[in-house]
């Protein structure tokens, strides 16, 4: 019988979380260079860790099967984030010494982040919370794990007097989860990205949720 443990993230979880990020967002479609892929994943996880003031992972039989990072309007702690800032600096130094061809996936990553910025500007809403990162391993979907992670975060938001929150997702992800769990789609952008198999269209979505 499997045993589920809900807890905060630990540094020892980072490698597994990067695996989940790669599986969920399919970053391996952008590059066949394993070193560049690792830089992208490291930038992604460290950027998310810089943003969050709430983390929860689900551990099943010793393996991380789901994660949620959340953010409220609480100011970040520089000392607490020093390790993440340093890791990001190291990554960007590596990028500087990466050849132009191998840097191309980072330009597509920039297209996605630009779409995020434009969506939030166009929404013109005063959100005070954010789901920074939310992933459930495909093998565990349909078991209620994702809903439990979200509900735990919503309880945290209520304690922090958060009124509304937002998140970004895209057509590579299971965005139907949000449609079926009380989230409202506020906007969308269509962008074109380059993959190792050629150009591909990607829909990027902004969702909101009224906490109270």
């Amino acid at each position: 019988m499997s045993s589920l443990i809900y807890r905060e993230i630990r540094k020892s979880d980072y490698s597994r979380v990067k695996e989940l990020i790669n599986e969920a967002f399919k970053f391996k479609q952008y590059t066949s260079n394993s070193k560049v892929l690792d830089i992208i994943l490291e930038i992604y996880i460290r950027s998310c860790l810089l943003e969050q003031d709430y983390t929860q992972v689900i551990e099943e039989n010793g393996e991380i099967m789901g994660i949620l990072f959340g953010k409220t309007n609480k100011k970040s702690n520089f000392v607490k984030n020093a390790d993440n800032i340093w890791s990001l600096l190291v990554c960007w130094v590596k990028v500087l010494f990466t050849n132009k061809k191998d840097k191309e996936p980072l330009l597509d990553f920039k297209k996605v982040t630009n779409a995020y910025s434009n969506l939030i500007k166009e929404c013109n809403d005063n959100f005070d919370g954010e789901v920074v990162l939310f992933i459930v391993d495909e093998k565990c979907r349909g078991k209620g794990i994702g809903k439990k992670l979200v509900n735990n975060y919503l309880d945290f938001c209520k304690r922090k007097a958060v009124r509304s929150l937002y998140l970004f997702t895209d057509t590579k992800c299971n965005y139907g989860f949000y449609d079926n769990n009380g989230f409202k789609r506020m906007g969308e952008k269509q962008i074109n990205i380059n993959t190792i198999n050629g150009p591909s269209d990607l829909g990027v979505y902004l969702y909101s949720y009224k906490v109270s």
Side-chain angles (χ1 to χ4, degrees):
M1 185 175 178
S2 63
S3 175
L4 296 178
I5 298 172
Y6 294 79
R7 60 171 174 78
E8 291 186 1
I9 196 169
R10 301 169 185 156
K11 196 168 183 179
S12 57
D13 300 325
Y14 290 3
S15 293
R16 171 58 179 158
V17 171
K18 286 199 289 186
E19 288 178 6
L20 289 172
I21 292 169
N22 192 27
E23 291 168 6
F25 303 129
K26 300 175 175 59
F27 284 140
K28 60 186 176 185
Q29 292 183 355
Y30 301 133
T31 179
S32 56
N33 185 318
S34 60
K35 291 182 179 179
V36 172
L37 178 60
D38 190 63
I39 291 172
I40 292 171
L41 292 171
E42 187 70 11
I43 289 173
Y44 199 96
I45 187 174
R46 295 294 180 167
S47 298
C48 290
L49 286 165
L50 268 179
E51 288 288 308
Q52 59 76 32
D53 61 2
Y54 171 95
T55 68
Q56 188 169 74
V57 304
I58 294 183
E59 181 183 322
E60 182 179 36
N61 297 327
E63 185 174 24
I64 303 302
M65 304 306 291
I67 54 174
L68 193 150
F69 295 176
K71 174 187 174 183
T72 63
N73 280 335
K74 178 183 175 183
K75 292 182 179 180
S76 61
N77 185 315
F78 179 83
V79 175
K80 185 178 178 181
N81 280 317
D83 183 55
N84 296 318
I85 294 169
W86 174 250
S87 294
L88 281 170
L89 288 172
V90 170
C91 284
W92 288 115
V93 169
K94 289 179 180 178
V95 169
L96 288 174
F97 289 94
T98 301
N99 68 58
K100 187 176 180 180
K101 180 68 176 174
D102 286 335
K103 286 179 184 176
E104 289 180 358
L106 292 166
L107 298 177
D108 286 304
F109 184 60
K110 184 65 175 174
K111 287 182 185 177
V112 176
T113 57
N114 285 342
Y116 290 168
S117 297
N118 290 331
L119 281 168
I120 201 70
K121 286 176 185 176
E122 292 170 8
C123 182
N124 196 30
D125 204 334
N126 294 317
F127 299 110
D128 47 8
E130 178 186 0
V131 177
V132 177
L133 179 65
F134 173 47
I135 302 172
V136 174
D137 190 300
E138 288 186 5
K139 299 190 296 291
C140 291
R141 291 177 186 171
K143 297 182 178 180
I145 286 176
K147 199 163 187 177
K148 177 67 173 174
L149 277 171
V150 169
N151 286 338
N152 288 348
Y153 176 56
L154 292 176
D155 287 342
F156 172 82
C157 288
K158 289 173 184 176
R159 294 195 298 272
K160 296 291 183 179
V162 171
R163 294 162 297 177
S164 64
L165 56 85
Y166 70 96
L167 62 86
F168 298 112
T169 188
D170 58 56
T171 47
K172 296 192 305 297
C173 303
N174 182 26
Y175 59 89
F177 174 89
Y178 306 112
D179 293 319
N180 296 325
N181 284 279
F183 288 79
K184 180 181 179 182
R185 191 182 299 181
M186 304 294 289
E188 59 184 270
K189 295 285 184 186
Q190 294 294 322
I191 59 175
N192 186 268
I193 55 175
N194 295 307
T195 72
I196 56 178
N197 296 316
S200 177
D201 292 328
L202 180 71
V204 181
Y205 303 140
L206 168 68
Y207 279 84
S208 70
Y209 187 93
K210 297 295 183 184
V211 179
S212 58

